[in-house]
């Protein structure tokens, strides 16, 4: 019994590997270039990169209001 | 019969050898396309300037270790969960607690905000994922409306709503991930393939289709097709448990943080690891990672109480943030990218947006000057609840991979 279940498990492993072997892959140089492109294109819209002015920063230090 | 046994052995042996040759072929194919490193492609990119980040809000109220947090799509509310079973919803602008519920279990390792902002999901040692609708009616008891959605056979380590409030994806110490229908609690799809506890998951950004990535104690990161339940790609380059995975904003890559003290970037189209973020001085595991909006920055929280900010393209560290007094367990960038929030075993959550460029810079401190764990450190107990009672407890980066993993074999280590 244990024999057939390890065969079944092995079959699954082989099936999975066949699937992965059949993948279409891209060269790292091209994939990396596209990652770089995405970063640079979106850099100006990234508040953690560009910073936010105090007036628009929702997390600016809280000021206490006083009634005169 | 004797002949049947022989036949089976032959099949097993031939399958094993086919598996070996396929693995070899996979490595060959991947290596052929490895013509350059990411940081080489990024050589001419302008370096990032000095980073000054200040903690703007500290959310105090958890009585014990904060284990998980998630932002609401409204970019101001946060849900967090802790070891003592409490789940709290905060308004991060005012630091007010808007909702609080006590789970019937301890170690609530996972929590998530629903896309509508009207509900939260959480779970942990109860092996379940439960959904709580959020109500502002003071007369209503939040716990009364609780709905049990997911059932696993071991602890819940991560959960996430899909694009709507109707479906939840879960990851568990039982080694599987699963997709559930919230309304009926029905199991829609299960994902088998990890060889040990699954610790984290992240859904692909919606434009790129129905996939998600998971990371586990088997050191593997696996990408899954949500409709078929099939694993479409697997990556095994980490040397220890993968605690956190997060997609790159374009959906073409993902980052991982591991107990081996490194973070890595895997490109899905090149089908391989393309960058590794590490330093000799960093020896503690990375527990949580997230990208800034453009994908240029990778924030990673570590078990040595710090947060390192990495330049994703160049592979260098641009900043190190101190502020927590115990290990950083969870970290998420806000939906609009203006801030990130980190949660820690020191019971607090800190929200840190980019500071004004005019502000006085924080005094520059070399990592060695900072208070923090110095070897040997008694980090009693690993992050995983099952481990607290079974393994010897001290985990310090790459060395720990030799310690027995509690996961499926917890009964062996008494």
């Amino acid at each position: 019994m244990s024999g057939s279940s390890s065969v079944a498990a092995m079959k699954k492993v082989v099936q999975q590997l066949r699937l992965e072997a059949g993948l279409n892959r891209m060269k790292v140089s091209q994939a990396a270039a596209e990652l770089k492109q995405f970063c640079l294109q979106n850099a100006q819209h990234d508040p953690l990169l560009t910073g936010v002015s105090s007036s628009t920063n929702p997390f600016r230090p809280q000021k206490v209001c006083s009634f005169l | 019969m004797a002949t049947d046994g022989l036949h089976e052995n032959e099949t097993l042996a031939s399958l094993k050898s086919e598996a070996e040759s396929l693995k070899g072929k996979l490595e060959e194919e991947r290596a052929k396309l490895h013509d350059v490193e990411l940081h080489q492609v990024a050589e001419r990119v302008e370096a990032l300037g000095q980073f000054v980040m200040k903690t703007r809000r500290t959310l105090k109220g958890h009585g014990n270790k904060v284990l998980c947090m998630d932002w609401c799509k409204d970019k101001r509310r946060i849900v967090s969960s802790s070891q003592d079973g409490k789940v709290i919803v905060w308004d991060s602008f005012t630091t007010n607690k808007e909702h609080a519920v006590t789970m019937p279990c301890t170690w609530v390792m996972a929590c998530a905000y629903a896309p509508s902002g009207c509900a939260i999901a959480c779970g942990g040692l109860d092996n379940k994922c439960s959904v709580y609708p959020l109500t502002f009616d003071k007369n209503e008891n939040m716990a009364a409306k609780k709905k049990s959605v997911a059932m696993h056979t071991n602890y819940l380590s991560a959960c996430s709503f899909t694009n709507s409030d109707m479906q939840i994806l879960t990851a568990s110490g039982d080694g599987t991930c699963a997709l559930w229908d919230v309304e009926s609690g029905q199991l829609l799809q299960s994902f088998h393939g990890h060889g040990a506890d699954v610790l984290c998951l992240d859904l692909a950004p919606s434009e790129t289709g129905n996939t998600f990535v998971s990371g586990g104690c088997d050191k593997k990161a696996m990408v899954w097709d949500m409709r078929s339940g099939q694993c479409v790609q697997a990556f095994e380059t980490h040397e220890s448990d993968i605690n956190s995975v997060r997609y790159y904003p374009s959906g073409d890559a993902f980052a991982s943080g591991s107990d081996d003290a490194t973070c890595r970037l895997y490109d899905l189209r090149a089908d391989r690891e393309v960058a590794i973020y590490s330093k000799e001085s960093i020896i503690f595991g990375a527990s949580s990672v997230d990208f800034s909006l453009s994908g240029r920055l990778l924030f990673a929280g570590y078990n040595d109480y710090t947060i390192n900010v990495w330049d994703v393209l160049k592979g260098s560290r641009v900043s190190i943030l101190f502020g927590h007094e115990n290990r950083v367990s969870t970290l998420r960038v806000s939906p609009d990218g203006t801030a990130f929030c980190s949660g820690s075993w020191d019971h607090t959550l800190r929200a840190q947006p980019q500071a004004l460029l005019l502000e006085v810079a924080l005094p520059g401190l070399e990592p060695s000057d900072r208070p923090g764990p110095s070897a040997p450190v008694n980090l009693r107990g690993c992050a995983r609840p099952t481990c607290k009672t079974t393994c010897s407890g001290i985990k310090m980066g790459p060395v720990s991979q030799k310690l027995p993993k509690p996961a499926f074999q917890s009964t062996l280590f008494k």
Side-chain angles (χ1 to χ4, degrees):
Chain A
M1 278 308 247
S2 63
S4 54
S5 66
S6 53
V7 167
M10 246 356 246
K11 272 196 178 145
K12 273 199 179 142
V13 171
V14 169
Q15 255 171 4
Q16 182 61 32
L17 286 170
R18 279 189 196 149
L19 202 82
E20 292 181 30
L23 225 66
N24 274 328
R25 289 177 191 83
M26 190 188 273
K27 276 198 175 160
V28 175
S29 51
Q30 192 188 342
E34 293 190 19
L35 289 177
K36 180 182 85 174
Q37 192 64 10
F38 184 88
C39 271
L40 298 177
Q41 268 172 354
N42 291 288
Q44 68 224 62
H45 303 296
D46 188 343
L48 286 168
L49 268 185
T50 59
V52 241
S53 71
S54 188
S55 52
T56 54
N57 184 355
F59 289 99
R60 65 185 170 280
Q62 293 163 299
K63 292 204 163 60
V64 181
C65 285
S66 52
F67 287 94
L68 298 170
Chain B
M1 318 258 260
T3 43
D4 282 351
L6 260 178
H7 180 66
E8 263 181 28
N9 283 339
E10 280 169 355
T11 322
L12 193 61
S14 67
L15 280 173
K16 276 189 178 163
S17 69
E18 191 182 348
E20 285 311 307
S21 78
L22 279 170
K23 277 188 192 162
K25 186 171 165 218
L26 257 176
E27 278 187 40
E28 255 183 60
E29 290 295 311
R30 282 172 169 171
K32 265 191 225 168
L33 298 163
H34 187 202
D35 50 349
V36 79
E37 300 287 340
L38 174 60
H39 64 85
Q40 288 171 304
V41 168
E43 241 160 31
R44 297 242 193 85
V45 174
E46 205 178 303
L48 295 169
Q50 263 286 6
F51 265 88
V52 176
M53 291 205 173
K54 287 184 142 186
T55 301
R56 290 288 185 203
R57 299 286 188 277
T58 302
L59 306 176
K60 293 190 198 178
H62 275 293
N64 213 312
K65 308 179 168 81
V66 175
L67 301 176
C68 189
M69 60 135 311
D70 191 20
W71 287 89
C72 177
K73 282 208 156 78
D74 71 0
K75 312 156 219 167
R76 71 186 273 175
R77 282 174 181 81
I78 287 176
V79 61
S80 61
S81 62
S82 69
Q83 185 197 0
D84 60 2
K86 287 243 174 12
V87 179
I88 300 178
V89 176
W90 315 77
D91 176 341
S92 63
F93 290 179
T94 62
T95 74
N96 289 339
K97 295 182 202 44
E98 294 193 341
H99 304 268
V101 72
T102 305
M103 293 278 284
C105 67
T106 56
W107 286 87
V108 187
M109 301 172 73
C111 61
Y113 229 115
S116 67
C118 298
I120 53 155
C122 52
L125 277 192
D126 57 358
N127 300 356
K128 292 194 249 188
C129 184
S130 308
V131 174
Y132 290 88
L134 295 175
T135 171
F136 279 96
D137 185 344
K138 288 209 171 18
N139 296 324
E140 272 202 47
N141 180 6
M142 209 167 118
K145 294 250 162 179
K146 164 179 166 177
K147 190 188 293 205
S148 268
V149 175
M151 285 282 290
H152 278 279
T153 55
N154 210 323
Y155 64 89
L156 188 84
S157 55
C159 65
S160 173
F161 283 87
T162 59
N163 293 328
S164 75
D165 285 20
M166 314 307 293
Q167 291 180 356
I168 287 192
L169 198 53
T170 57
S172 166
D174 66 13
T176 70
C177 297
L179 180 67
W180 310 82
D181 175 81
V182 173
E183 194 55 50
S184 62
Q186 198 192 352
L187 173 68
L188 298 172
Q189 186 61 263
S190 68
F191 306 88
H192 297 258
H194 276 288
D197 307 22
V198 187
L199 298 180
C200 51
L201 62 80
D202 190 35
L203 270 142
S206 40
E207 308 80 51
T208 49
N210 294 326
T211 59
F212 73 94
V213 61
S214 64
C217 288
D218 57 355
K219 312 175 200 167
K220 280 205 248 179
M222 302 178 83
V223 181
W224 307 87
D225 179 321
M226 276 167 71
R227 281 164 298 195
S228 65
Q230 188 82 38
C231 167
V232 293
Q233 284 172 276
F235 305 88
E236 198 172 355
T237 61
H238 271 294
E239 293 166 22
S240 189
D241 304 357
I242 297 179
N243 298 312
S244 177
V245 285
R246 193 73 63 208
Y247 268 93
Y248 186 76
S250 71
D252 293 326
F254 68 90
S256 58
S258 162
D259 274 351
D260 67 6
T262 70
C263 296
R264 297 177 198 234
L265 186 70
Y266 297 90
D267 187 292
L268 295 171
R269 293 153 317 157
D271 188 39
R272 61 170 297 123
E273 173 191 302
V274 292
I276 174 167
Y277 308 99
S278 66
K279 267 177 118 64
E280 264 189 44
S281 54
I282 301 175
I283 58 167
F284 287 81
S287 62
S288 193
V289 298
D290 203 356
F291 286 100
S292 69
L293 224 60
S294 65
R296 182 68 191 272
L297 299 174
L298 180 70
F299 296 91
Y302 290 76
N303 294 341
D304 64 359
Y305 317 173
T306 66
I307 294 168
N308 288 305
V309 187
W310 300 91
D311 179 331
V312 170
L313 298 180
K314 290 189 178 284
S316 53
R317 176 173 67 185
V318 293
S319 188
I320 176 168
L321 304 172
F322 307 96
H324 278 295
E325 291 154 25
N326 206 319
R327 61 168 78 177
V328 179
S329 51
T330 178
L331 187 157
R332 295 296 292 263
V333 171
S334 70
D336 62 353
T338 54
F340 74 89
C341 181
S342 56
S344 161
W345 280 20
D346 68 5
H347 312 184
T348 70
L349 297 126
R350 284 163 203 262
Q352 297 172 101
Q354 175 64 44
L356 278 189
L357 298 173
L358 303 172
E359 299 257 330
V360 174
L362 293 171
L365 286 165
E366 282 305 309
S368 54
D369 296 337
R370 288 298 305 188
S374 52
V377 177
N378 185 14
L379 295 174
R380 201 178 289 284
C382 323
R384 278 174 296 292
T386 50
C387 198
K388 275 188 84 64
T389 53
T390 56
C391 93
S392 68
I394 303 178
K395 288 192 82 165
M396 290 170 65
V399 178
S400 69
Q401 62 185 310
K402 300 202 180 72
L403 285 176
K405 287 283 171 287
F408 290 158
Q409 296 92 35
S410 56
T411 50
L412 296 178
F413 308 108
K414 292 248 159 53

